[in-house]
Amino acid sequence: MKTVTYLALGAFITLSQPAMAEPSINDMQGCQALIDFLNTKLDQTSYDSSDVAKVQDGLGAYNSYIQNEIVTPGLLKFSNGDQSKASKLQEQVDAYKSQVVAGYNKRYPQNRLFMDHVLALDKCAQQAVPQGADLQALKTSMETMVAILKAS
């Protein structure tokens, strides 16, 4: 089972092509909620601070990518360029993310990471692949998460 898990992650780590289909805002707000949850969880753990920083750097880069390249443009497109409507839609996205984070907190009350988290992040990354430095930061983040889990 662990071998399959690491092989699945390895498939992402070598991925460098953009995702084929345009990711949906709905899927990406769920991914942003996962990132918010992981950042909070990492702040509560006793993992090595340099490992936590590597993971959070990659998560931050990926979150910015999702927001700037998918969510914000998607909301503007959906609202026909009306910034006021897009801002109200962003508030709804943020409220939904808070609900998803609360659900993660109920499911994972422990102050640690699980392989489920890495696999969920991998699924997000397969839907929306950043490029360049953001991709490298995300890869480093995920590799560090796996290393933390192996050491636990």
Side-chain angles (χ1 to χ4, degrees):
M1 172 89 172
K2 285 186 178 182
T3 304
V4 172
T5 301
Y6 295 124
L7 288 175
L9 179 62
F12 166 73
I13 298 298
T14 60
L15 187 64
S16 63
Q17 296 296 320
M20 296 305 266
E22 189 171 315
S24 75
I25 293 172
N26 290 341
D27 290 339
M28 293 299 101
Q29 65 187 354
C31 293
Q32 285 184 305
L34 173 65
I35 291 167
D36 290 349
F37 167 77
L38 291 175
N39 275 317
T40 301
K41 221 24 104 171
L42 286 164
D43 287 339
Q44 300 168 354
T45 67
S46 59
Y47 299 132
D48 179 84
S49 61
S50 65
D51 287 341
V52 169
K54 284 180 200 173
V55 173
Q56 288 182 323
D57 285 347
L59 294 176
Y62 191 46
N63 193 40
S64 293
Y65 165 78
I66 291 170
Q67 185 65 44
N68 297 330
E69 300 298 325
I70 300 164
V71 176
T72 298
L75 295 177
L76 279 170
K77 182 178 178 183
F78 185 74
S79 64
N80 294 318
D82 185 326
Q83 185 64 46
S84 177
K85 286 182 183 177
S87 292
K88 289 183 194 296
L89 290 170
Q90 181 65 56
E91 289 174 13
Q92 292 175 8
V93 166
D94 293 341
Y96 174 76
K97 288 189 309 187
S98 293
Q99 291 176 351
V100 174
V101 169
Y104 276 123
N105 283 320
K106 285 181 184 174
R107 184 170 180 191
Y108 299 101
Q110 307 88 340
N111 291 331
R112 61 177 294 255
L113 298 177
F114 290 89
M115 186 54 75
D116 290 355
H117 302 141
V118 180
L119 294 174
L121 187 59
D122 182 51
K123 184 176 178 183
C124 289
Q126 289 177 22
Q127 295 175 51
V129 183
Q131 300 296 308
D134 289 344
L135 176 60
Q136 188 55 49
L138 180 59
K139 286 181 184 180
T140 299
S141 178
M142 293 176 72
E143 290 168 345
T144 304
M145 288 172 72
V146 170
I148 288 170
L149 290 168
K150 281 183 173 179
S152 303

